[in-house]
Amino acid sequence: MPTPNNNPFEQIILPTDVPSAWPPAPVYWLILIATIVVLLVITWLIKRHIKNTKIVKQALTELANLRSQKTASFSELNQLLKGLCLQYYPREAVASLNGEAWFDFIERHNATSNSPVFENKSVFCERLYAGNSQCVEKDFTSARKWLKSFPAQCKAFKKSTINNQKLTGSKHV
């Protein structure tokens, strides 16, 4: 007759098959999906930032090319500024601006609101439509400052416009 063993752990039966880790629990699927979405959003934001800085760098390069020309006209400088604006705003909103409306648009997007980008409205309009108006060094310096700060000013202007629309309850058309 076998001798009884007094070990209480002897009665515990260990499983022979280890439970599988696949498929993972639903919480892990949610974490994986959230991680992928966050990575995609970060990638999109980085690409957008690179594109925006590339646009500004190209505009600054064109400004340097205009500056190196001895006969750069004021209208060529304004074409450069308008070209940059067309990259950030719809064509319908920017392309039709001219004269005083264009001057007001430039000033609304001016980082230093206490000093205008170009002298005053009347002088700006005269120089813009005078065929022989040459750019001076102050024009290039002002345009360079304006070009560098334009993306931030554009973002701030759009944000303030959205906030104003929320306050008044009107919709953007």
Side-chain angles (χ1 to χ4, degrees):
M1 166 158 66
T3 59
N5 196 350
N6 291 337
N7 189 354
F9 295 110
E10 204 172 272
Q11 297 175 358
I12 296 176
I13 300 172
L14 295 173
T16 56
D17 292 334
V18 178
S20 174
W22 190 260
V27 171
Y28 295 116
W29 286 109
L30 292 175
I31 291 171
L32 177 67
I33 291 170
T35 303
I36 290 171
V37 167
V38 167
L39 289 174
L40 289 174
V41 167
I42 289 172
T43 304
W44 176 74
L45 288 172
I46 289 171
K47 283 185 177 183
R48 190 176 79 170
H49 176 71
I50 289 171
K51 178 186 171 199
N52 287 343
T53 53
K54 182 179 177 183
I55 291 169
V56 172
K57 283 181 183 179
Q58 287 175 343
L60 289 171
T61 303
E62 286 297 319
L63 182 67
N65 290 342
L66 273 177
R67 184 182 239 163
S68 66
Q69 295 175 3
K70 298 296 179 191
T71 60
S73 71
F74 193 70
S75 62
E76 289 175 328
L77 178 64
N78 276 286
Q79 286 176 349
L80 175 65
L81 299 178
K82 195 171 273 196
L84 178 69
C85 294
L86 287 170
Q87 298 295 321
Y88 288 89
Y89 285 101
R91 181 167 287 284
E92 303 83 35
V94 177
S96 63
L97 294 176
N98 56 21
E100 292 182 6
W102 174 236
F103 179 84
D104 292 338
F105 182 87
I106 291 174
E107 289 304 319
R108 276 195 308 263
H109 294 85
N110 186 7
T112 56
S113 58
N114 56 356
S115 65
V117 178
F118 300 107
E119 298 112 21
N120 61 26
K121 238 183 238 191
S122 60
V123 173
F124 176 82
C125 291
E126 287 175 17
R127 290 185 69 199
L128 186 60
Y129 298 115
N132 58 356
S133 178
Q134 301 298 318
C135 288
V136 294
E137 190 61 31
K138 184 179 182 231
D139 295 333
F140 292 119
T141 306
S142 299
R144 183 173 174 77
K145 278 188 209 175
W146 189 84
L147 286 171
K148 283 184 174 181
S149 67
F150 179 73
Q153 293 300 317
C154 180
K155 184 177 178 181
F157 182 75
K158 286 181 180 180
K159 187 176 181 180
S160 71
T161 304
I162 290 170
N163 289 339
N164 289 341
Q165 288 174 353
K166 286 180 183 177
L167 291 175
T168 59
S170 62
K171 291 185 177 178
H172 180 65
V173 180

